[in-house]
PDB file of all heavy atoms in Angstrom:
ATOM      1  N   THR A 206       3.408  12.594   5.935  1.00 46.00           N
ATOM      2  CA  THR A 206       4.027  13.839   5.495  1.00 46.00           C
ATOM      3  C   THR A 206       5.116  14.294   6.447  1.00 46.00           C
ATOM      4  O   THR A 206       5.793  15.270   6.187  1.00 46.00           O
ATOM      5  CB  THR A 206       2.974  14.959   5.409  1.00 46.00           C
ATOM      6  OG1 THR A 206       2.489  15.218   6.735  1.00 46.00           O
ATOM      7  CG2 THR A 206       1.832  14.571   4.520  1.00 46.00           C
ATOM      8  N   GLY A 207       5.275  13.630   7.563  1.00 38.00           N
ATOM      9  CA  GLY A 207       6.183  14.099   8.586  1.00 38.00           C
ATOM     10  C   GLY A 207       5.433  14.850   9.661  1.00 38.00           C
ATOM     11  O   GLY A 207       5.965  15.151  10.720  1.00 38.00           O
ATOM     12  N   ALA A 208       4.158  15.173   9.389  1.00 41.00           N
ATOM     13  CA  ALA A 208       3.322  15.826  10.386  1.00 41.00           C
ATOM     14  C   ALA A 208       2.421  14.777  10.999  1.00 41.00           C
ATOM     15  O   ALA A 208       1.439  14.377  10.412  1.00 41.00           O
ATOM     16  CB  ALA A 208       2.501  16.943   9.752  1.00 41.00           C
ATOM     17  N   SER A 209       2.778  14.285  12.148  1.00 42.00           N
ATOM     18  CA  SER A 209       1.982  13.292  12.853  1.00 42.00           C
ATOM     19  C   SER A 209       1.704  13.826  14.250  1.00 42.00           C
ATOM     20  O   SER A 209       1.972  14.988  14.540  1.00 42.00           O
ATOM     21  CB  SER A 209       2.728  11.958  12.931  1.00 42.00           C
ATOM     22  OG  SER A 209       3.895  12.124  13.711  1.00 42.00           O
ATOM     23  N   ARG A 210       1.170  12.977  15.121  1.00 39.00           N
ATOM     24  CA  ARG A 210       0.865  13.444  16.474  1.00 39.00           C
ATOM     25  C   ARG A 210       2.097  14.031  17.139  1.00 39.00           C
ATOM     26  O   ARG A 210       2.023  15.013  17.867  1.00 39.00           O
ATOM     27  CB  ARG A 210       0.296  12.292  17.314  1.00 39.00           C
ATOM     28  CG  ARG A 210      -0.222  12.724  18.676  1.00 39.00           C
ATOM     29  CD  ARG A 210      -0.776  11.543  19.455  1.00 39.00           C
ATOM     30  NE  ARG A 210      -1.231  11.958  20.764  1.00 39.00           N
ATOM     31  CZ  ARG A 210      -2.440  12.397  21.041  1.00 39.00           C
ATOM     32  NH1 ARG A 210      -3.325  12.489  20.076  1.00 39.00           N
ATOM     33  NH2 ARG A 210      -2.789  12.760  22.252  1.00 39.00           N
ATOM     34  N   ALA A 211       3.263  13.448  16.871  1.00 46.00           N
ATOM     35  CA  ALA A 211       4.487  13.944  17.483  1.00 46.00           C
ATOM     36  C   ALA A 211       4.918  15.282  16.884  1.00 46.00           C
ATOM     37  O   ALA A 211       5.639  16.050  17.514  1.00 46.00           O
ATOM     38  CB  ALA A 211       5.602  12.926  17.322  1.00 46.00           C
ATOM     39  N   ALA A 212       4.491  15.561  15.656  1.00 80.00           N
ATOM     40  CA  ALA A 212       4.916  16.782  14.986  1.00 80.00           C
ATOM     41  C   ALA A 212       4.088  17.989  15.414  1.00 80.00           C
ATOM     42  O   ALA A 212       4.526  19.119  15.269  1.00 80.00           O
ATOM     43  CB  ALA A 212       4.843  16.607  13.481  1.00 80.00           C
ATOM     44  N   PHE A 213       2.884  17.765  15.912  1.00 93.00           N
ATOM     45  CA  PHE A 213       2.045  18.857  16.395  1.00 93.00           C
ATOM     46  C   PHE A 213       2.123  18.927  17.910  1.00 93.00           C
ATOM     47  O   PHE A 213       2.323  17.908  18.579  1.00 93.00           O
ATOM     48  CB  PHE A 213       0.577  18.634  15.991  1.00 93.00           C
ATOM     49  CG  PHE A 213       0.330  18.700  14.511  1.00 93.00           C
ATOM     50  CD1 PHE A 213      -0.068  17.581  13.822  1.00 93.00           C
ATOM     51  CD2 PHE A 213       0.491  19.888  13.824  1.00 93.00           C
ATOM     52  CE1 PHE A 213      -0.308  17.626  12.462  1.00 93.00           C
ATOM     53  CE2 PHE A 213       0.261  19.949  12.458  1.00 93.00           C
ATOM     54  CZ  PHE A 213      -0.141  18.816  11.775  1.00 93.00           C
ATOM     55  N   LYS A 214       1.954  20.113  18.434  1.00 94.00           N
ATOM     56  CA  LYS A 214       1.786  20.257  19.877  1.00 94.00           C
ATOM     57  C   LYS A 214       0.361  19.854  20.219  1.00 94.00           C
ATOM     58  O   LYS A 214      -0.587  20.443  19.706  1.00 94.00           O
ATOM     59  CB  LYS A 214       2.062  21.682  20.309  1.00 94.00           C
ATOM     60  CG  LYS A 214       3.513  22.119  20.145  1.00 94.00           C
ATOM     61  CD  LYS A 214       3.711  23.559  20.601  1.00 94.00           C
ATOM     62  CE  LYS A 214       5.156  23.993  20.422  1.00 94.00           C
ATOM     63  NZ  LYS A 214       5.355  25.417  20.820  1.00 94.00           N
ATOM     64  N   VAL A 215       0.227  18.836  21.057  1.00 94.00           N
ATOM     65  CA  VAL A 215      -1.084  18.304  21.412  1.00 94.00           C
ATOM     66  C   VAL A 215      -1.202  18.274  22.930  1.00 94.00           C
ATOM     67  O   VAL A 215      -0.375  17.651  23.609  1.00 94.00           O
ATOM     68  CB  VAL A 215      -1.289  16.885  20.850  1.00 94.00           C
ATOM     69  CG1 VAL A 215      -2.655  16.346  21.241  1.00 94.00           C
ATOM     70  CG2 VAL A 215      -1.134  16.884  19.335  1.00 94.00           C
ATOM     71  N   SER A 216      -2.207  18.969  23.456  1.00 95.00           N
ATOM     72  CA  SER A 216      -2.433  18.963  24.902  1.00 95.00           C
ATOM     73  C   SER A 216      -3.740  18.280  25.270  1.00 95.00           C
ATOM     74  O   SER A 216      -4.121  18.262  26.437  1.00 95.00           O
ATOM     75  CB  SER A 216      -2.423  20.397  25.447  1.00 95.00           C
ATOM     76  OG  SER A 216      -3.510  21.150  24.905  1.00 95.00           O
ATOM     77  N   LEU A 217      -4.435  17.727  24.289  1.00 95.00           N
ATOM     78  CA  LEU A 217      -5.744  17.123  24.529  1.00 95.00           C
ATOM     79  C   LEU A 217      -5.606  15.857  25.364  1.00 95.00           C
ATOM     80  O   LEU A 217      -4.815  14.969  25.049  1.00 95.00           O
ATOM     81  CB  LEU A 217      -6.409  16.788  23.191  1.00 95.00           C
ATOM     82  CG  LEU A 217      -7.823  16.218  23.243  1.00 95.00           C
ATOM     83  CD1 LEU A 217      -8.795  17.258  23.769  1.00 95.00           C
ATOM     84  CD2 LEU A 217      -8.245  15.744  21.863  1.00 95.00           C
ATOM     85  N   THR A 218      -6.402  15.782  26.435  1.00 93.00           N
ATOM     86  CA  THR A 218      -6.444  14.580  27.272  1.00 93.00           C
ATOM     87  C   THR A 218      -7.850  14.024  27.427  1.00 93.00           C
ATOM     88  O   THR A 218      -8.018  12.858  27.770  1.00 93.00           O
ATOM     89  CB  THR A 218      -5.879  14.876  28.673  1.00 93.00           C
ATOM     90  OG1 THR A 218      -6.660  15.909  29.296  1.00 93.00           O
ATOM     91  CG2 THR A 218      -4.426  15.319  28.592  1.00 93.00           C
ATOM     92  N   THR A 219      -8.873  14.851  27.179  1.00 83.00           N
ATOM     93  CA  THR A 219     -10.258  14.423  27.356  1.00 83.00           C
ATOM     94  C   THR A 219     -10.631  13.311  26.375  1.00 83.00           C
ATOM     95  O   THR A 219     -10.345  13.401  25.184  1.00 83.00           O
ATOM     96  CB  THR A 219     -11.219  15.608  27.148  1.00 83.00           C
ATOM     97  OG1 THR A 219     -10.944  16.598  28.142  1.00 83.00           O
ATOM     98  CG2 THR A 219     -12.678  15.165  27.283  1.00 83.00           C
ATOM     99  N   GLU A 220     -11.232  12.267  26.886  1.00 81.00           N
ATOM    100  CA  GLU A 220     -11.737  11.181  26.043  1.00 81.00           C
ATOM    101  C   GLU A 220     -13.203  10.891  26.325  1.00 81.00           C
ATOM    102  O   GLU A 220     -13.917  10.406  25.449  1.00 81.00           O
ATOM    103  CB  GLU A 220     -10.905   9.916  26.257  1.00 81.00           C
ATOM    104  CG  GLU A 220      -9.460  10.050  25.790  1.00 81.00           C
ATOM    105  CD  GLU A 220      -8.660   8.783  26.017  1.00 81.00           C
ATOM    106  OE1 GLU A 220      -9.197   7.851  26.651  1.00 81.00           O
ATOM    107  OE2 GLU A 220      -7.508   8.719  25.556  1.00 81.00           O
ATOM    108  N   ASP A 221     -13.653  11.194  27.537  1.00 90.00           N
ATOM    109  CA  ASP A 221     -15.022  10.893  27.936  1.00 90.00           C
ATOM    110  C   ASP A 221     -15.955  12.023  27.510  1.00 90.00           C
ATOM    111  O   ASP A 221     -16.483  12.769  28.332  1.00 90.00           O
ATOM    112  CB  ASP A 221     -15.095  10.668  29.447  1.00 90.00           C
ATOM    113  CG  ASP A 221     -16.487  10.203  29.883  1.00 90.00           C
ATOM    114  OD1 ASP A 221     -17.191   9.602  29.046  1.00 90.00           O
ATOM    115  OD2 ASP A 221     -16.855  10.448  31.051  1.00 90.00           O
ATOM    116  N   HIS A 222     -16.098  12.166  26.207  1.00 94.00           N
ATOM    117  CA  HIS A 222     -16.943  13.220  25.629  1.00 94.00           C
ATOM    118  C   HIS A 222     -17.579  12.631  24.378  1.00 94.00           C
ATOM    119  O   HIS A 222     -16.896  11.988  23.569  1.00 94.00           O
ATOM    120  CB  HIS A 222     -16.103  14.453  25.278  1.00 94.00           C
ATOM    121  CG  HIS A 222     -16.912  15.660  24.884  1.00 94.00           C
ATOM    122  ND1 HIS A 222     -17.601  15.735  23.693  1.00 94.00           N
ATOM    123  CD2 HIS A 222     -17.146  16.833  25.528  1.00 94.00           C
ATOM    124  CE1 HIS A 222     -18.212  16.911  23.619  1.00 94.00           C
ATOM    125  NE2 HIS A 222     -17.945  17.601  24.717  1.00 94.00           N
ATOM    126  N   PRO A 223     -18.891  12.840  24.178  1.00 95.00           N
ATOM    127  CA  PRO A 223     -19.549  12.211  23.027  1.00 95.00           C
ATOM    128  C   PRO A 223     -18.986  12.643  21.684  1.00 95.00           C
ATOM    129  O   PRO A 223     -19.085  11.889  20.703  1.00 95.00           O
ATOM    130  CB  PRO A 223     -21.014  12.645  23.181  1.00 95.00           C
ATOM    131  CG  PRO A 223     -20.983  13.847  24.063  1.00 95.00           C
ATOM    132  CD  PRO A 223     -19.829  13.632  24.992  1.00 95.00           C
ATOM    133  N   TYR A 224     -18.388  13.845  21.620  1.00 96.00           N
ATOM    134  CA  TYR A 224     -17.868  14.325  20.353  1.00 96.00           C
ATOM    135  C   TYR A 224     -16.345  14.461  20.358  1.00 96.00           C
ATOM    136  O   TYR A 224     -15.775  15.236  19.593  1.00 96.00           O
ATOM    137  CB  TYR A 224     -18.571  15.630  19.969  1.00 96.00           C
ATOM    138  CG  TYR A 224     -19.990  15.334  19.516  1.00 96.00           C
ATOM    139  CD1 TYR A 224     -21.066  15.496  20.390  1.00 96.00           C
ATOM    140  CD2 TYR A 224     -20.240  14.823  18.256  1.00 96.00           C
ATOM    141  CE1 TYR A 224     -22.370  15.174  19.981  1.00 96.00           C
ATOM    142  CE2 TYR A 224     -21.523  14.503  17.843  1.00 96.00           C
ATOM    143  CZ  TYR A 224     -22.581  14.684  18.703  1.00 96.00           C
ATOM    144  OH  TYR A 224     -23.857  14.358  18.293  1.00 96.00           O
ATOM    145  N   MET A 225     -15.697  13.661  21.226  1.00 95.00           N
ATOM    146  CA  MET A 225     -14.252  13.467  21.140  1.00 95.00           C
ATOM    147  C   MET A 225     -13.920  11.990  21.299  1.00 95.00           C
ATOM    148  O   MET A 225     -12.823  11.627  21.723  1.00 95.00           O
ATOM    149  CB  MET A 225     -13.529  14.306  22.196  1.00 95.00           C
ATOM    150  CG  MET A 225     -13.425  15.776  21.817  1.00 95.00           C
ATOM    151  SD  MET A 225     -12.244  16.713  22.827  1.00 95.00           S
ATOM    152  CE  MET A 225     -13.226  16.986  24.298  1.00 95.00           C
ATOM    153  N   SER A 226     -14.864  11.138  20.938  1.00 96.00           N
ATOM    154  CA  SER A 226     -14.685   9.693  21.046  1.00 96.00           C
ATOM    155  C   SER A 226     -15.484   9.017  19.939  1.00 96.00           C
ATOM    156  O   SER A 226     -16.244   9.667  19.224  1.00 96.00           O
ATOM    157  CB  SER A 226     -15.133   9.198  22.428  1.00 96.00           C
ATOM    158  OG  SER A 226     -16.510   9.529  22.653  1.00 96.00           O
ATOM    159  N   GLY A 227     -15.325   7.688  19.796  1.00 96.00           N
ATOM    160  CA  GLY A 227     -16.061   6.964  18.771  1.00 96.00           C
ATOM    161  C   GLY A 227     -15.791   7.530  17.390  1.00 96.00           C
ATOM    162  O   GLY A 227     -14.643   7.826  17.037  1.00 96.00           O
ATOM    163  N   PRO A 228     -16.834   7.739  16.575  1.00 97.00           N
ATOM    164  CA  PRO A 228     -16.638   8.286  15.222  1.00 97.00           C
ATOM    165  C   PRO A 228     -16.085   9.711  15.223  1.00 97.00           C
ATOM    166  O   PRO A 228     -15.616  10.183  14.196  1.00 97.00           O
ATOM    167  CB  PRO A 228     -18.051   8.248  14.625  1.00 97.00           C
ATOM    168  CG  PRO A 228     -18.803   7.266  15.449  1.00 97.00           C
ATOM    169  CD  PRO A 228     -18.236   7.355  16.823  1.00 97.00           C
ATOM    170  N   TRP A 229     -16.158  10.389  16.376  1.00 97.00           N
ATOM    171  CA  TRP A 229     -15.658  11.751  16.488  1.00 97.00           C
ATOM    172  C   TRP A 229     -14.274  11.814  17.143  1.00 97.00           C
ATOM    173  O   TRP A 229     -13.823  12.892  17.547  1.00 97.00           O
ATOM    174  CB  TRP A 229     -16.648  12.616  17.265  1.00 97.00           C
ATOM    175  CG  TRP A 229     -17.816  13.058  16.444  1.00 97.00           C
ATOM    176  CD1 TRP A 229     -18.968  12.372  16.197  1.00 97.00           C
ATOM    177  CD2 TRP A 229     -17.953  14.303  15.750  1.00 97.00           C
ATOM    178  NE1 TRP A 229     -19.809  13.096  15.393  1.00 97.00           N
ATOM    179  CE2 TRP A 229     -19.214  14.293  15.106  1.00 97.00           C
ATOM    180  CE3 TRP A 229     -17.141  15.423  15.610  1.00 97.00           C
ATOM    181  CZ2 TRP A 229     -19.673  15.349  14.335  1.00 97.00           C
ATOM    182  CZ3 TRP A 229     -17.587  16.495  14.842  1.00 97.00           C
ATOM    183  CH2 TRP A 229     -18.847  16.448  14.214  1.00 97.00           C
ATOM    184  N   THR A 230     -13.584  10.683  17.261  1.00 96.00           N
ATOM    185  CA  THR A 230     -12.233  10.696  17.813  1.00 96.00           C
ATOM    186  C   THR A 230     -11.327  11.552  16.930  1.00 96.00           C
ATOM    187  O   THR A 230     -11.232  11.312  15.726  1.00 96.00           O
ATOM    188  CB  THR A 230     -11.678   9.270  17.900  1.00 96.00           C
ATOM    189  OG1 THR A 230     -12.538   8.485  18.737  1.00 96.00           O
ATOM    190  CG2 THR A 230     -10.267   9.281  18.485  1.00 96.00           C
ATOM    191  N   PRO A 231     -10.654  12.554  17.497  1.00 96.00           N
ATOM    192  CA  PRO A 231      -9.827  13.432  16.655  1.00 96.00           C
ATOM    193  C   PRO A 231      -8.708  12.682  15.946  1.00 96.00           C
ATOM    194  O   PRO A 231      -8.122  11.741  16.482  1.00 96.00           O
ATOM    195  CB  PRO A 231      -9.253  14.434  17.662  1.00 96.00           C
ATOM    196  CG  PRO A 231     -10.181  14.398  18.823  1.00 96.00           C
ATOM    197  CD  PRO A 231     -10.678  12.984  18.905  1.00 96.00           C
ATOM    198  N   GLN A 232      -8.435  13.112  14.733  1.00 95.00           N
ATOM    199  CA  GLN A 232      -7.317  12.586  13.951  1.00 95.00           C
ATOM    200  C   GLN A 232      -6.213  13.632  13.944  1.00 95.00           C
ATOM    201  O   GLN A 232      -6.467  14.799  13.615  1.00 95.00           O
ATOM    202  CB  GLN A 232      -7.758  12.273  12.522  1.00 95.00           C
ATOM    203  CG  GLN A 232      -6.666  11.690  11.646  1.00 95.00           C
ATOM    204  CD  GLN A 232      -7.139  11.426  10.227  1.00 95.00           C
ATOM    205  OE1 GLN A 232      -8.231  11.854   9.850  1.00 95.00           O
ATOM    206  NE2 GLN A 232      -6.349  10.725   9.441  1.00 95.00           N
ATOM    207  N   HIS A 233      -4.994  13.237  14.282  1.00 95.00           N
ATOM    208  CA  HIS A 233      -3.895  14.185  14.375  1.00 95.00           C
ATOM    209  C   HIS A 233      -2.766  13.865  13.411  1.00 95.00           C
ATOM    210  O   HIS A 233      -1.684  14.432  13.509  1.00 95.00           O
ATOM    211  CB  HIS A 233      -3.350  14.219  15.813  1.00 95.00           C
ATOM    212  CG  HIS A 233      -4.340  14.749  16.804  1.00 95.00           C
ATOM    213  ND1 HIS A 233      -4.384  14.328  18.122  1.00 95.00           N
ATOM    214  CD2 HIS A 233      -5.347  15.647  16.672  1.00 95.00           C
ATOM    215  CE1 HIS A 233      -5.366  14.958  18.754  1.00 95.00           C
ATOM    216  NE2 HIS A 233      -5.961  15.758  17.892  1.00 95.00           N
ATOM    217  N   GLU A 234      -2.994  12.978  12.465  1.00 94.00           N
ATOM    218  CA  GLU A 234      -1.983  12.628  11.479  1.00 94.00           C
ATOM    219  C   GLU A 234      -2.392  13.127  10.097  1.00 94.00           C
ATOM    220  O   GLU A 234      -3.572  13.182   9.767  1.00 94.00           O
ATOM    221  CB  GLU A 234      -1.777  11.116  11.434  1.00 94.00           C
ATOM    222  CG  GLU A 234      -1.083  10.545  12.656  1.00 94.00           C
ATOM    223  CD  GLU A 234      -0.777   9.070  12.467  1.00 94.00           C
ATOM    224  OE1 GLU A 234      -1.725   8.279  12.427  1.00 94.00           O
ATOM    225  OE2 GLU A 234       0.406   8.711  12.355  1.00 94.00           O
ATOM    226  N   GLU A 235      -1.385  13.470   9.304  1.00 96.00           N
ATOM    227  CA  GLU A 235      -1.593  13.885   7.924  1.00 96.00           C
ATOM    228  C   GLU A 235      -0.922  12.863   7.016  1.00 96.00           C
ATOM    229  O   GLU A 235       0.205  12.422   7.272  1.00 96.00           O
ATOM    230  CB  GLU A 235      -1.009  15.274   7.682  1.00 96.00           C
ATOM    231  CG  GLU A 235      -1.708  16.361   8.498  1.00 96.00           C
ATOM    232  CD  GLU A 235      -1.101  17.735   8.261  1.00 96.00           C
ATOM    233  OE1 GLU A 235       0.132  17.798   8.031  1.00 96.00           O
ATOM    234  OE2 GLU A 235      -1.841  18.738   8.307  1.00 96.00           O
TER     235      GLU A 235
END
Side-chain angles (χ1 to χ4, degrees):
T206 65
S209 65
R210 188 180 178 88
F213 294 114
K214 293 180 181 178
V215 180
S216 64
L217 183 66
T218 60
T219 298
E220 294 180 353
D221 186 26
H222 189 289
Y224 287 99
M225 282 194 281
S226 59
W229 281 84
T230 301
Q232 181 181 10
H233 295 149
E234 289 186 292
E235 296 179 327

